[in-house]
Amino acid sequence: MAGRRSLLLIEEEPRARDFVRGALSRLGFQVVVAQNGVEGIGQFAPSLFQLVITDLHLPDMGGLEVLRKIKQMSPDTPVVVLASDSEVSDVVQALRLGASDYLLKPIESVEVIDHAVCRITNAETLAQQNREYRETLERRNRELRDHVEVLQRDQQAGRLLQQHLLPRTPYRYPGGIEAAYRLIPSLYLSGDFIDYGLFGERFVAFYLVDVSGHGVSSALVTALIKHSIMHLLRERPLFAQLDSLDSDLLDILSLINRELLSTRLGKHASMFVGVIDGPARQLHYAVAGQIPMPALVTANGAEWLPGKGRPLGLFEQGDWQVICTKLPASWRLVTCSDGVLELLEGDLLQKEAQLLQAIDKSRGDLESLCTALHVDTSEALPDDVTILTLRQG
């Protein structure tokens, strides 16, 4: 009796009852019959019947009362009322109480019953599908929220790790050399990374790397680069002798290039790596796809450093070259990731001209340059923004 295709028919009149029951049976329903309202209410239970059909004129209680009680027990169960032409006002009241449809007696056409019942059952089927879809959607939303929470926790852990890997800023080295930086990710994690350190008492080495893209994958590659360089430092001393500075710089670029190619993540990077020889007042450096170029600020103003080289992670062999330039007693070195250019207007040449002008006006001071470029006040950064400065005197 129970099931999606069970139907309760409450009708006292035998002829009408048999006609409706026969029509419903042909539609595939298993029909349970009650001859009065009390019997019908006793037979009914929520979710037991897909549909209820009740006469409005019953011997023991009004059909409206039957309708009201059924709707109280199961608001979603559709109810069709049977009424005569003289009970039109009761039909209106039944519709207000939640009846899905009505049939006027005497019923002489099976098609009338077919149309009414099929319309309701189809609507009920659609409603059930919608409920199932909504439940599925709500479940998936809960799963998505859980995944987002896990991702947020992972990003927070990644951010803490990335910040832990970064050096202190500002930091002063012997000889009055000071290094400082500002790194602002466009997302939670950054594809930009910098590092610097003192080697012996003479050489200050540093680099700025900008991994393509931004977010978690690019940030993980920056951690890989940091690890690779540290591993190379454990294998052999770098920047220990003046005559090996150039080869050390090229070895770092070659190492990172091999690492990026071997990961097969489709990531490439631009990089500026250099060594400051304090006593000799010299800068040894190499660039790999660096845009914009680093700028050197002296008493004569700000100028782009010369140099070129292929980005890392795209070619088996690079054409990197090491350049050595003399440094005056007082100087500033400013290196930016290409995200800084997104803060400026115009084409690439115009943006580079504006940036060089801002570097010159700020005299290479990190705080002044960040203020001029609105680095800290930009609402949404389209790319990671990093500025590395070194200075002496």
Side-chain angles (χ1 to χ4, degrees):
M1 179 174 64
R4 288 185 56 84
R5 300 296 295 179
S6 294
L7 185 148
L8 177 61
L9 172 61
I10 307 174
E11 172 61 71
E12 178 195 21
E13 183 184 343
R15 180 178 178 276
R17 185 174 63 238
D18 292 342
F19 184 83
V20 173
R21 178 169 57 183
L24 295 172
S25 297
R26 286 192 294 273
L27 289 175
F29 285 96
Q30 185 173 3
V31 182
V32 176
V33 175
Q35 298 185 23
N36 56 63
V38 173
E39 183 182 353
I41 296 300
Q43 296 262 26
F44 181 79
S47 303
L48 188 61
F49 298 103
Q50 186 182 6
L51 178 65
V52 174
I53 297 179
T54 181
D55 195 348
L56 287 180
H57 183 70
L58 296 171
D60 56 345
M61 69 170 64
L64 292 178
E65 183 63 20
V66 173
L67 170 63
R68 186 179 292 108
K69 289 182 178 296
I70 289 176
K71 283 297 181 180
Q72 287 175 350
M73 289 187 288
S74 180
D76 293 333
T77 299
V79 179
V80 176
V81 297
L82 303 175
S84 64
D85 291 336
S86 62
E87 296 173 314
V88 174
S89 60
D90 288 341
V91 170
V92 174
Q93 183 63 19
L95 294 175
R96 290 175 178 171
L97 291 174
S100 299
D101 205 345
Y102 66 93
L103 298 173
L104 293 179
K105 300 167 62 178
I107 304 173
E108 298 179 350
S109 172
V110 174
E111 286 75 14
V112 173
I113 299 175
D114 290 353
H115 176 76
V117 173
C118 288
R119 183 182 63 81
I120 292 172
T121 54
N122 289 340
E124 179 65 15
T125 300
L126 180 60
Q128 178 64 26
Q129 292 173 346
N130 288 337
R131 285 192 294 270
E132 293 173 355
Y133 174 77
R134 184 171 61 251
E135 292 171 358
T136 301
L137 185 60
E138 290 174 352
R139 184 181 70 256
R140 290 179 178 176
N141 283 338
R142 288 193 298 270
E143 294 173 352
L144 180 60
R145 285 194 296 269
D146 292 340
H147 289 318
V148 169
E149 289 177 1
V150 172
L151 178 59
Q152 288 175 337
R153 290 195 296 269
D154 289 346
Q155 286 184 327
Q156 290 171 355
R159 183 179 180 89
L160 290 174
L161 173 62
Q162 191 174 53
Q163 290 177 337
H164 179 73
L165 294 175
L166 289 166
R168 284 184 290 171
T169 180
Y171 195 85
R172 291 185 65 86
Y173 292 103
I177 298 176
E178 180 182 282
Y181 67 89
R182 186 70 51 83
L183 190 157
I184 303 177
S186 62
L187 299 176
Y188 207 74
L189 295 168
S190 176
D192 291 356
F193 194 78
I194 62 100
D195 203 0
Y196 37 73
L198 177 65
F199 292 81
E201 295 295 325
R202 178 171 181 174
F203 304 114
V204 175
F206 59 91
Y207 69 83
L208 184 153
V209 63
D210 181 359
V211 179
S212 60
H214 42 267
V216 176
S217 61
S218 297
L220 291 176
V221 174
T222 66
L224 171 65
I225 291 173
K226 166 82 173 185
H227 171 77
S228 299
I229 294 176
M230 296 304 296
H231 184 72
L232 181 61
L233 286 170
R234 288 193 296 269
E235 286 185 338
R236 65 180 178 85
L238 294 176
F239 314 123
Q241 301 293 330
L242 178 61
D243 57 4
S244 65
L245 291 183
D246 292 2
S247 62
D248 290 343
L249 291 173
L250 293 176
D251 285 347
I252 289 178
L253 293 177
S254 297
L255 171 66
I256 304 306
N257 189 58
R258 290 195 304 271
E259 292 283 4
L260 291 178
L261 289 172
S262 65
T263 60
R264 301 187 183 279
L265 294 176
K267 293 290 184 180
H268 61 274
S270 62
M271 191 171 187
F272 173 59
V273 56
V275 180
I276 298 169
D277 182 352
R281 294 194 180 280
Q282 289 183 335
L283 168 65
H284 300 252
Y285 68 92
V287 295
Q290 178 66 31
I291 297 176
M293 286 294 293
L296 183 64
V297 184
T298 65
N300 297 324
E303 294 182 351
W304 297 124
L305 289 177
K308 64 178 182 178
R310 292 175 175 176
L312 306 173
L314 294 177
F315 307 97
E316 292 290 343
Q317 299 293 330
D319 57 350
W320 314 297
Q321 55 180 311
V322 177
I323 299 176
C324 179
T325 185
K326 289 289 293 182
L327 297 172
S330 179
W331 55 270
R332 306 287 188 273
L333 180 64
V334 179
T335 307
C336 304
S337 65
D338 62 1
V340 172
L341 298 176
E342 300 298 328
L343 303 175
L344 304 170
E345 297 181 353
D347 58 27
L348 178 59
L349 292 178
Q350 292 171 329
K351 290 180 178 181
E352 288 181 330
Q354 294 174 51
L355 178 59
L356 186 62
Q357 184 179 13
I359 293 173
D360 184 57
K361 188 174 181 180
S362 68
R363 302 301 301 161
D365 178 73
L366 178 62
E367 296 301 325
S368 300
L369 181 58
C370 288
T371 300
L373 296 174
H374 306 287
V375 169
D376 299 312
T377 56
S378 296
E379 294 183 359
L381 298 174
D383 196 2
D384 305 321
V385 171
T386 301
I387 301 176
L388 169 65
T389 63
L390 294 102
R391 66 180 183 178
Q392 184 179 34

